[in-house]
Amino acid sequence: SKLAALFEHPLYNLPVPEVTERDKLFIINPMEKFSLHSSGSDEWVSSSKAETLLPTGKTAYDTYPAWLKFHVGITRYELYPRRDPLLPTLLRDLATQRIVSSVQKSGGTQLKLIMTFPNYGQALFKPMKQTRDQETPIDFFYFSDFERHNAEIAAFHLDRILDFRRIPPVSGRLVNITKEIRDITTDKKLAKTFFISPAGNVCFYGECSYYCSTEHALCGKPDQLEGSMAALLPDKTLAKRRSWRSPWRRSYHKSKKAEWELNPNYCAQVRETPPYDRGHRLLDLIDMAILDFLMGNMDRHHYETFEKFGNDTFLLHLDNGRGFGTHSRDEPSILAPLQQCCSIKKSTYLRLQLLATQPYRLSDVLREALAADPLAPVLAEPHLRALDRRLGKVLVAVGHCLAG
């Protein structure tokens, strides 16, 4: 296994800083039992009745479901550890746990559902919008592109292969629209949008600002629908997150350009602006730009961090559905932060060089990682080949910086 060999490599076993109590998102008493209000709220309450809700183990922590252990394990440095024994269980839960509730997630331009499991875990479901081999039409603006379920799955695995570990775990899943959405939803607005198509398939379209109409309905075969299931982060009432506007945000306008597209010395002013004037925030942003370039994702207008950790923490790489839309062309402007700042973490650069070598070729290790997903093959082959080509371009860009 190339993937197993990659994770055994010394570059994937660099020491992580020691984690103190203040570096943990949650401080828990391992002997204390926690349960959740059955109202479906994410508020934790200490409860002596927890034993009746969760299977008892040796200690209270052992009784926690995988999603709760995932939340408790988040630190200042990573969403989950490199060798996380929990990951296979959490991915399996996302793919197989019984769905007891489906409601539409508010906000956003496209339809997304929040699915709840019997163990109170929740996942964000993004339904299949286009097939694996469809490319984003060349005349589409980046902000009117579809969000792809398979891009969310592939982004999680790519992020892990790059050793960032900043995307919450995602699994593919085949959902029964009738039994797992229509029949159990308490969302009246969503319920009104179900219909049977002329071909006899069950369809629905929900309510949202872009693609929620009968012309853009999601239809099953006859009621089976593919989608991505992403583990939700802790509720914001428990772990506040801060949203930051990306300095390299696009204009989101059909003809206007952003300042960074017009000013070749733009990075100099970013370097003088907090929080980019100290610490590793700018280097983390460049990591994110490299991830986005490899995926072809132009839609990174904001990013988030956990408020508890201040400016000294990793960036969450959320909402990756607009990646992997095109394999036949690359978008060099996504690499602007790297090219304009000529900075990159040494560890990131060394890993990228490693992934360009034959024993660990990026396309091969990602193909292997995705093969275990319930919806495999997740990416069409041309997208995997495009990754190797784009990785080469990132290394050329770093080479220009080193030569300059």
Side-chain angles (χ1 to χ4, degrees):
S1 160
K2 284 190 174 188
L3 192 61
L6 180 74
F7 290 147
E8 288 299 327
H9 192 278
L11 284 172
Y12 286 79
N13 290 280
L14 299 171
V16 176
E18 188 185 346
V19 176
T20 65
E21 289 291 281
R22 40 185 278 255
D23 296 325
K24 295 175 181 174
L25 191 60
F26 296 116
I27 295 168
I28 58 155
N29 173 353
M31 298 313 291
E32 185 75 48
K33 291 185 187 294
F34 283 91
S35 72
L36 289 104
H37 283 310
S38 54
S39 67
S41 91
D42 261 20
E43 187 186 351
W44 293 0
V45 285
S46 179
S47 164
S48 57
K49 295 177 186 164
E51 295 94 325
T52 60
L53 291 174
L54 305 171
T56 24
K58 294 190 195 74
T59 66
Y61 179 80
D62 288 348
T63 70
Y64 292 180
W67 66 267
L68 188 48
K69 288 181 179 174
F70 162 55
H71 288 180
V72 167
I74 298 170
T75 71
R76 176 186 300 280
Y77 308 109
E78 56 194 9
L79 257 186
Y80 56 91
R82 276 196 193 101
R83 298 177 182 281
D84 189 359
L86 195 65
L87 212 52
T89 310
L90 185 54
L91 291 172
R92 190 168 61 247
D93 282 358
L94 291 168
T96 62
Q97 277 259 336
R98 185 166 61 86
I99 296 166
V100 295
S101 159
S102 298
V103 294
Q104 185 170 343
K105 184 181 189 295
S106 56
T109 57
Q110 301 182 34
L111 178 81
K112 297 182 267 298
L113 303 178
I114 298 219
M115 309 286 212
T116 307
F117 304 128
N119 67 6
Y120 300 99
Q122 291 189 314
L124 182 66
F125 178 75
K126 284 194 180 178
M128 175 170 167
K129 288 266 185 15
Q130 61 186 66
T131 60
R132 310 279 193 280
D133 48 7
Q134 278 178 286
E135 280 203 274
T136 302
I138 201 159
D139 290 323
F140 264 37
F141 286 102
Y142 53 89
F143 48 80
S144 53
D145 191 9
F146 290 118
E147 289 186 35
R148 284 166 285 279
H149 71 302
N150 60 323
E152 293 285 359
I153 303 164
F156 160 66
H157 289 280
L158 177 62
D159 179 80
R160 185 170 172 238
I161 284 165
L162 294 171
D163 201 40
F164 295 157
R165 287 166 291 116
R166 298 167 200 165
I167 295 180
V170 185
S171 171
R173 179 161 179 161
L174 206 53
V175 166
N176 183 308
I177 300 177
T178 306
K179 293 179 181 162
E180 296 180 308
I181 304 176
R182 190 189 71 184
D183 292 355
I184 59 170
T185 189
T186 52
D187 186 330
K188 292 192 176 78
K189 287 181 179 173
L190 178 66
K192 284 179 185 164
T193 69
F194 285 85
F195 63 94
I196 305 293
S197 77
N201 295 321
V202 184
C203 306
F204 68 107
Y205 52 87
E207 279 198 356
C208 63
S209 58
Y210 262 82
Y211 294 119
C212 288
S213 62
T214 43
E215 294 79 32
H216 295 106
L218 300 153
C219 297
K221 290 181 180 177
D223 53 7
Q224 298 289 307
L225 178 68
E226 278 190 20
S228 61
M229 297 282 266
L232 285 186
L233 291 171
D235 191 275
K236 287 181 180 177
T237 56
L238 297 171
K240 287 193 177 73
R241 302 202 299 271
R242 180 162 176 190
S243 179
W244 304 79
R245 187 184 168 118
S246 167
W248 278 273
R249 181 185 190 272
R250 294 174 188 278
S251 65
Y252 287 80
H253 190 278
K254 292 183 178 71
S255 53
K256 277 186 190 158
K257 283 195 180 313
E259 190 185 346
W260 60 267
E261 294 177 278
L262 303 167
N263 176 6
N265 298 316
Y266 180 73
C267 186
Q269 67 191 56
V270 174
R271 285 185 191 278
E272 290 173 12
T273 312
Y276 308 102
D277 56 344
R278 53 166 286 277
H280 50 78
R281 177 63 65 89
L282 183 59
L283 291 170
D284 286 343
L285 198 75
I286 289 165
D287 279 350
M288 187 163 64
I290 290 167
L291 173 76
D292 283 334
F293 176 70
L294 292 171
M295 297 192 292
N297 176 28
M298 299 170 71
D299 187 35
R300 187 73 70 186
H301 42 87
H302 286 78
Y303 62 87
E304 293 183 24
T305 56
F306 287 110
E307 210 168 82
K308 176 178 179 179
F309 303 133
N311 292 342
D312 186 22
T313 186
F314 63 90
L315 318 184
L316 288 159
H317 299 165
L318 306 175
D319 282 337
N320 303 289
R322 285 188 169 142
F324 297 104
T326 53
H327 51 71
S328 56
R329 54 193 188 275
D330 304 334
E331 183 48 61
S333 65
I334 302 173
L335 275 186
L338 170 66
Q339 292 165 327
Q340 293 179 353
C341 300
C342 265
S343 298
I344 186 171
K345 284 182 191 167
K346 184 180 178 183
S347 57
T348 299
Y349 181 44
L350 292 173
R351 277 193 291 271
L352 293 173
Q353 284 182 308
L354 186 70
L355 289 163
T357 63
Q358 192 55 51
Y360 308 103
R361 188 174 295 282
L362 179 56
S363 57
D364 290 344
V365 288
L366 184 59
R367 184 187 296 104
E368 186 187 328
L370 295 175
D373 190 85
L375 300 183
V378 172
L379 289 179
E381 278 301 312
H383 283 292
L384 290 162
R385 289 196 295 274
L387 280 170
D388 294 329
R389 179 181 74 234
R390 290 170 187 163
L391 174 56
K393 290 184 178 182
V394 175
L395 293 173
V396 166
V398 178
H400 284 319
C401 288
L402 291 170

